[in-house]
Amino acid sequence: SSLPPPRTRIFKIIVIGDSGVGKTCLTYRFCAGKFPDKTEATIGVDFREKVIEIDGEKIKVQLWDTAGQERFRKSMVQHYYRNVHAVVFVYDVTNAASFRSLPVWIEECRQHALGQEVPRILVGNKCDLRHAAQVSTDVAQQFADAHSMPLFETSAKNPYGSDDGGRNNSDHVEAIF
Ligand code: GDP
Ligand code: MG
């Protein structure tokens, strides 16, 4: 007799941060392997999935790409945090305000994932625009250390190089999720 195929495990990751930091582009890059031609502002929540194989086992990575709009968040926020396996906080390295918002997102997460020891990571996006960076790696690393999170700097747009032709010295999106 043949056994039924094993159920694919689902790994739920929520991606959180200010509007415009590149959450949609990052999740698209991970799942579709490229930068989207055009993005529309996320309304509520978008899901993107990709099946990866770890040690011969298929794992469905489900990315919850969230939006910051207040009126959607109030009703959606419970769903975001339900059965979460990991949280990705994103800021834009060229936008200091998006970095300063992080404590608010971290606190929201703490309130909803209370009691859960959920792995969290910090991602600085848009490293292809390093010449316009407003948040240094040092400052970001200190913040990440203070919150016991690993820091990754990346670019959804150009993971391998910067717009000026140089290396942007960033982590590849594939290696982060
Ligand atoms: P979200 O609101 O966090 O989902 O942000 P989006 O993914 O919609 O991106 C907001 C804007 O930033 C769009 O115009 C994107 O084209 C741009 N963007 C996103 N990621 C990058 C990146 O890595 N580099 C650059 N230069 N622009 C990016
Ligand atoms: Mg979005």
Side-chain angles (χ1 to χ4, degrees), residues 160-176:
Y160 296 112
S162 54
D163 285 353
D164 61 15
R167 288 270 309 150
N168 63 24
N169 201 21
S170 69
D171 302 300
H172 195 281
V173 176
E174 304 273 338
I176 296 173

PDB file of all heavy atoms in Angstrom, residues 160-176:
ATOM      1  N   TYR A 160      22.430  42.790  -6.122  1.00  0.00           N
ATOM      2  CA  TYR A 160      23.866  42.562  -6.324  1.00  0.00           C
ATOM      3  C   TYR A 160      24.700  43.825  -6.488  1.00  0.00           C
ATOM      4  O   TYR A 160      25.903  43.793  -6.334  1.00  0.00           O
ATOM      5  CB  TYR A 160      24.100  41.664  -7.535  1.00  0.00           C
ATOM      6  CG  TYR A 160      23.536  40.294  -7.344  1.00  0.00           C
ATOM      7  CD1 TYR A 160      22.464  39.857  -8.084  1.00  0.00           C
ATOM      8  CD2 TYR A 160      24.078  39.440  -6.381  1.00  0.00           C
ATOM      9  CE1 TYR A 160      21.940  38.580  -7.894  1.00  0.00           C
ATOM     10  CE2 TYR A 160      23.567  38.179  -6.183  1.00  0.00           C
ATOM     11  CZ  TYR A 160      22.489  37.750  -6.945  1.00  0.00           C
ATOM     12  OH  TYR A 160      21.980  36.508  -6.743  1.00  0.00           O
ATOM     13  N   GLY A 161      24.060  44.938  -6.832  1.00  0.00           N
ATOM     14  CA  GLY A 161      24.868  46.129  -7.079  1.00  0.00           C
ATOM     15  C   GLY A 161      24.071  47.392  -6.829  1.00  0.00           C
ATOM     16  O   GLY A 161      22.863  47.364  -6.699  1.00  0.00           O
ATOM     17  N   SER A 162      24.775  48.509  -6.745  1.00  0.00           N
ATOM     18  CA  SER A 162      24.080  49.771  -6.529  1.00  0.00           C
ATOM     19  C   SER A 162      23.879  50.479  -7.857  1.00  0.00           C
ATOM     20  O   SER A 162      24.476  50.119  -8.868  1.00  0.00           O
ATOM     21  CB  SER A 162      24.879  50.650  -5.568  1.00  0.00           C
ATOM     22  OG  SER A 162      26.197  50.801  -6.032  1.00  0.00           O
ATOM     23  N   ASP A 163      23.038  51.479  -7.857  1.00  0.00           N
ATOM     24  CA  ASP A 163      22.708  52.188  -9.086  1.00  0.00           C
ATOM     25  C   ASP A 163      23.926  52.896  -9.683  1.00  0.00           C
ATOM     26  O   ASP A 163      23.967  53.183 -10.868  1.00  0.00           O
ATOM     27  CB  ASP A 163      21.580  53.199  -8.835  1.00  0.00           C
ATOM     28  CG  ASP A 163      20.242  52.490  -8.695  1.00  0.00           C
ATOM     29  OD1 ASP A 163      20.194  51.264  -8.926  1.00  0.00           O
ATOM     30  OD2 ASP A 163      19.266  53.150  -8.341  1.00  0.00           O
ATOM     31  N   ASP A 164      24.907  53.190  -8.847  1.00  0.00           N
ATOM     32  CA  ASP A 164      26.107  53.853  -9.374  1.00  0.00           C
ATOM     33  C   ASP A 164      27.124  52.842  -9.910  1.00  0.00           C
ATOM     34  O   ASP A 164      28.257  53.181 -10.212  1.00  0.00           O
ATOM     35  CB  ASP A 164      26.741  54.774  -8.325  1.00  0.00           C
ATOM     36  CG  ASP A 164      27.189  54.017  -7.084  1.00  0.00           C
ATOM     37  OD1 ASP A 164      27.271  52.773  -7.139  1.00  0.00           O
ATOM     38  OD2 ASP A 164      27.452  54.669  -6.065  1.00  0.00           O
ATOM     39  N   GLY A 165      26.711  51.595 -10.007  1.00  0.00           N
ATOM     40  CA  GLY A 165      27.575  50.585 -10.614  1.00  0.00           C
ATOM     41  C   GLY A 165      28.433  49.823  -9.626  1.00  0.00           C
ATOM     42  O   GLY A 165      29.021  48.803  -9.963  1.00  0.00           O
ATOM     43  N   GLY A 166      28.501  50.311  -8.400  1.00  0.00           N
ATOM     44  CA  GLY A 166      29.332  49.630  -7.404  1.00  0.00           C
ATOM     45  C   GLY A 166      28.585  48.503  -6.717  1.00  0.00           C
ATOM     46  O   GLY A 166      27.393  48.311  -6.934  1.00  0.00           O
ATOM     47  N   ARG A 167      29.293  47.775  -5.916  1.00  0.00           N
ATOM     48  CA  ARG A 167      28.655  46.748  -5.090  1.00  0.00           C
ATOM     49  C   ARG A 167      27.906  47.451  -3.980  1.00  0.00           C
ATOM     50  O   ARG A 167      28.398  48.414  -3.408  1.00  0.00           O
ATOM     51  CB  ARG A 167      29.728  45.833  -4.459  1.00  0.00           C
ATOM     52  CG  ARG A 167      30.392  44.907  -5.443  1.00  0.00           C
ATOM     53  CD  ARG A 167      29.649  43.578  -5.553  1.00  0.00           C
ATOM     54  NE  ARG A 167      29.416  42.995  -4.234  1.00  0.00           N
ATOM     55  CZ  ARG A 167      28.363  42.224  -3.954  1.00  0.00           C
ATOM     56  NH1 ARG A 167      27.461  41.999  -4.851  1.00  0.00           N
ATOM     57  NH2 ARG A 167      28.237  41.706  -2.746  1.00  0.00           N
ATOM     58  N   ASN A 168      26.716  46.986  -3.659  1.00  0.00           N
ATOM     59  CA  ASN A 168      26.044  47.638  -2.530  1.00  0.00           C
ATOM     60  C   ASN A 168      26.273  46.874  -1.237  1.00  0.00           C
ATOM     61  O   ASN A 168      25.789  47.248  -0.188  1.00  0.00           O
ATOM     62  CB  ASN A 168      24.559  47.865  -2.810  1.00  0.00           C
ATOM     63  CG  ASN A 168      23.769  46.584  -2.996  1.00  0.00           C
ATOM     64  OD1 ASN A 168      24.173  45.523  -2.509  1.00  0.00           O
ATOM     65  ND2 ASN A 168      22.652  46.667  -3.683  1.00  0.00           N
ATOM     66  N   ASN A 169      27.033  45.796  -1.357  1.00  0.00           N
ATOM     67  CA  ASN A 169      27.465  45.100  -0.152  1.00  0.00           C
ATOM     68  C   ASN A 169      26.283  44.681   0.721  1.00  0.00           C
ATOM     69  O   ASN A 169      26.315  44.818   1.934  1.00  0.00           O
ATOM     70  CB  ASN A 169      28.389  46.023   0.649  1.00  0.00           C
ATOM     71  CG  ASN A 169      29.268  45.237   1.606  1.00  0.00           C
ATOM     72  OD1 ASN A 169      29.479  44.049   1.411  1.00  0.00           O
ATOM     73  ND2 ASN A 169      29.765  45.898   2.633  1.00  0.00           N
ATOM     74  N   SER A 170      25.236  44.199   0.087  1.00  0.00           N
ATOM     75  CA  SER A 170      24.037  43.881   0.858  1.00  0.00           C
ATOM     76  C   SER A 170      23.767  42.385   0.857  1.00  0.00           C
ATOM     77  O   SER A 170      24.333  41.633   0.084  1.00  0.00           O
ATOM     78  CB  SER A 170      22.834  44.631   0.297  1.00  0.00           C
ATOM     79  OG  SER A 170      22.477  44.136  -0.968  1.00  0.00           O
ATOM     80  N   ASP A 171      22.894  41.989   1.759  1.00  0.00           N
ATOM     81  CA  ASP A 171      22.468  40.604   1.836  1.00  0.00           C
ATOM     82  C   ASP A 171      21.448  40.349   0.743  1.00  0.00           C
ATOM     83  O   ASP A 171      20.611  41.193   0.452  1.00  0.00           O
ATOM     84  CB  ASP A 171      21.817  40.348   3.204  1.00  0.00           C
ATOM     85  CG  ASP A 171      22.766  40.657   4.354  1.00  0.00           C
ATOM     86  OD1 ASP A 171      23.820  40.029   4.407  1.00  0.00           O
ATOM     87  OD2 ASP A 171      22.440  41.539   5.164  1.00  0.00           O
ATOM     88  N   HIS A 172      21.496  39.181   0.143  1.00  0.00           N
ATOM     89  CA  HIS A 172      20.527  38.861  -0.887  1.00  0.00           C
ATOM     90  C   HIS A 172      19.206  38.450  -0.244  1.00  0.00           C
ATOM     91  O   HIS A 172      19.183  37.744   0.748  1.00  0.00           O
ATOM     92  CB  HIS A 172      21.054  37.729  -1.775  1.00  0.00           C
ATOM     93  CG  HIS A 172      20.299  37.601  -3.044  1.00  0.00           C
ATOM     94  ND1 HIS A 172      19.079  36.971  -3.109  1.00  0.00           N
ATOM     95  CD2 HIS A 172      20.567  38.052  -4.281  1.00  0.00           C
ATOM     96  CE1 HIS A 172      18.645  37.034  -4.363  1.00  0.00           C
ATOM     97  NE2 HIS A 172      19.523  37.691  -5.097  1.00  0.00           N
ATOM     98  N   VAL A 173      18.122  38.943  -0.850  1.00  0.00           N
ATOM     99  CA  VAL A 173      16.781  38.684  -0.303  1.00  0.00           C
ATOM    100  C   VAL A 173      16.561  37.194  -0.056  1.00  0.00           C
ATOM    101  O   VAL A 173      16.003  36.788   0.965  1.00  0.00           O
ATOM    102  CB  VAL A 173      15.703  39.218  -1.273  1.00  0.00           C
ATOM    103  CG1 VAL A 173      14.309  38.875  -0.777  1.00  0.00           C
ATOM    104  CG2 VAL A 173      15.846  40.721  -1.444  1.00  0.00           C
ATOM    105  N   GLU A 174      17.011  36.362  -0.987  1.00  0.00           N
ATOM    106  CA  GLU A 174      16.819  34.908  -0.872  1.00  0.00           C
ATOM    107  C   GLU A 174      17.431  34.369   0.420  1.00  0.00           C
ATOM    108  O   GLU A 174      16.962  33.381   0.976  1.00  0.00           O
ATOM    109  CB  GLU A 174      17.512  34.185  -2.036  1.00  0.00           C
ATOM    110  CG  GLU A 174      17.078  34.638  -3.396  1.00  0.00           C
ATOM    111  CD  GLU A 174      15.854  33.891  -3.884  1.00  0.00           C
ATOM    112  OE1 GLU A 174      15.605  32.788  -3.393  1.00  0.00           O
ATOM    113  OE2 GLU A 174      15.156  34.432  -4.751  1.00  0.00           O
ATOM    114  N   ALA A 175      18.498  35.021   0.856  1.00  0.00           N
ATOM    115  CA  ALA A 175      19.204  34.513   2.034  1.00  0.00           C
ATOM    116  C   ALA A 175      18.543  34.964   3.334  1.00  0.00           C
ATOM    117  O   ALA A 175      18.880  34.467   4.411  1.00  0.00           O
ATOM    118  CB  ALA A 175      20.658  34.993   1.997  1.00  0.00           C
ATOM    119  N   ILE A 176      17.619  35.910   3.226  1.00  0.00           N
ATOM    120  CA  ILE A 176      17.041  36.484   4.429  1.00  0.00           C
ATOM    121  C   ILE A 176      15.824  35.692   4.905  1.00  0.00           C
ATOM    122  O   ILE A 176      15.709  35.339   6.065  1.00  0.00           O
ATOM    123  CB  ILE A 176      16.642  37.956   4.187  1.00  0.00           C
ATOM    124  CG1 ILE A 176      17.897  38.777   3.903  1.00  0.00           C
ATOM    125  CG2 ILE A 176      15.875  38.506   5.367  1.00  0.00           C
ATOM    126  CD1 ILE A 176      17.620  40.198   3.493  1.00  0.00           C
TER     127      ILE A 176
END
